[in-house]
Amino acid sequence: MSKDAAWLFAAAGSMTAITIGTSVIAAVSKDLLRDQVRAIQGQGYRLPTDDALLDLSYGSYKLGVGLAIGTGVFAAALFSVAAWLARTERAGQPKRVSLSPFAGGRQAGLSLSGRF
């Protein structure tokens, strides 16, 4: 595998780690938002600061979800490009196993040769 493909796989792995991190942040933000809504419902009344806090929590939750989706798609694209690059590099190398037909006097068939 070339250095380019290795770098792409490393970048895709790091983007996957970032995706996992942003997914965790989004999940924690959603839990905090639910806890805040329950606390406000338990009060029986809402203050303007409660509305601002809910808007901020919802915004951070949506940001986390958007980042998780975006980085996940980007990581998948990097993995695809790295796999394609690694495959095209290997396609140029000679094959180690060959399958060829043969026919001769009273014989016909396939010959499988190479390293196994």
Side-chain angles (χ1 to χ4, degrees), residues 4-5 10 18-19 30 35-36 40 45 47-48 53 55-57 59 61 64 68 73-74 79 81 89 100:
D4 294 335
I18 292 171
T19 301
K30 187 173 184 179
D35 291 342
Q36 291 168 356
I40 290 171
Y45 59 90
L47 298 173
L53 181 64
D55 287 341
L56 182 63
S57 296
Y61 163 68
V73 168
F74 189 63
F79 272 123
V81 170
E89 290 170 359
S100 58

Side-chain angles (χ1 to χ4, degrees), residues 2-113:
S2 72
K3 288 183 181 180
D4 294 335
W7 279 107
L8 284 173
F9 277 123
S14 65
M15 288 305 294
T16 301
I18 292 171
T19 301
I20 292 169
T22 55
S23 298
V24 168
I25 290 171
V28 168
S29 296
K30 187 173 184 179
D31 288 340
L32 288 174
L33 182 63
R34 285 182 178 165
D35 291 342
Q36 291 168 356
V37 168
R38 285 188 198 117
I40 290 171
Q41 288 174 344
Q43 285 177 346
Y45 59 90
R46 286 173 50 178
L47 298 173
T49 56
D50 294 333
D51 290 336
L53 181 64
L54 288 176
D55 287 341
L56 182 63
S57 296
Y58 183 72
S60 67
Y61 163 68
K62 292 305 278 185
L63 178 66
V65 169
L67 283 175
I69 291 171
T71 56
V73 168
F74 189 63
L78 282 177
F79 272 123
S80 299
V81 170
W84 174 79
L85 186 61
R87 174 66 184 120
T88 56
E89 290 170 359
R90 289 190 56 116
Q93 296 176 350
K95 294 183 174 30
R96 294 184 177 180
V97 177
S98 65
L99 181 67
S100 58
F102 71 90
R106 294 185 178 165
Q107 295 180 357
L110 295 173
S111 173
L112 180 65
S113 62

